Amino acid sequence: MKIIACAAANGFVIPPLYLVPGQRINHEVMNACKILESRITTANKGFMNSAIFMKWLEHFKRNIPGSVQCPILLVYDGCGSHYNQDIMEKAIELKVLLVLLPANSTHLIQPLDIAVFKLFKTVLKH
């Protein structure tokens, strides 16, 4: 399972998207993913694709607090499935400015990966 997470420098957090490999979600997994307003979906191999990213982008926009002025800046991994013409048009419609980091480099330079997930992964490995 993958967890798509997003947080802002001012402290608000977007509820996660759980991405489960396969075509169906079993009840045990559903019951474990109970964060308010979170979403759960499937992908054949468990990886993000453009269609899922489009849905996540809408989820992202819906969960931005009303007090936050738009446009809003979204910094994220520039993997090919995260960026295409449709995604660009959706971002413009939603008033989201996209800043893409070099593909597959977030574990080195993205603040959430460095400050939060690295520690979490280290704890899980031990």
Side-chain angles (χ1 to χ4, degrees):
M1 174 178 7
K2 295 200 181 302
I3 300 172
I4 315 309
C6 182
N10 70 355
F12 78 84
V13 176
I14 301 297
L17 168 70
Y18 300 99
L19 185 53
V20 179
Q23 295 181 351
R24 296 176 13 188
I25 304 164
N26 73 39
H27 291 284
E28 191 175 302
V29 170
M30 270 180 115
N31 291 336
C33 302
K34 288 189 174 185
I35 296 175
L36 188 64
E37 297 298 321
S38 65
R39 297 289 179 258
I40 187 167
T41 191
T42 62
N44 285 338
K45 295 184 179 181
F47 293 107
M48 176 70 77
N49 60 42
S50 295
I52 294 170
F53 187 78
M54 289 278 284
K55 290 179 183 178
W56 181 86
L57 196 57
E58 291 171 348
H59 170 71
F60 167 76
K61 178 63 177 184
R62 266 193 314 275
N63 285 283
I64 294 172
S67 60
V68 175
Q69 292 184 354
C70 288
I72 189 164
L73 189 67
L74 176 62
V75 179
Y76 68 107
D77 186 354
C79 176
S81 65
H82 301 165
Y83 189 74
N84 62 32
Q85 185 68 31
D86 292 336
I87 290 169
M88 211 169 67
E89 290 171 4
K90 177 58 78 176
I92 291 168
E93 173 191 327
L94 297 174
K95 298 182 181 173
V96 175
L97 303 174
L98 304 176
V99 175
L100 282 72
L101 297 171
N104 303 311
S105 68
T106 58
H107 66 288
L108 299 171
I109 59 177
Q110 189 178 63
L112 269 180
D113 282 351
I114 294 168
V116 178
F117 300 129
K118 183 177 181 180
L119 177 61
F120 181 68
K121 289 177 183 180
T122 301
V123 170
L124 285 179
K125 287 180 184 178
H126 291 90

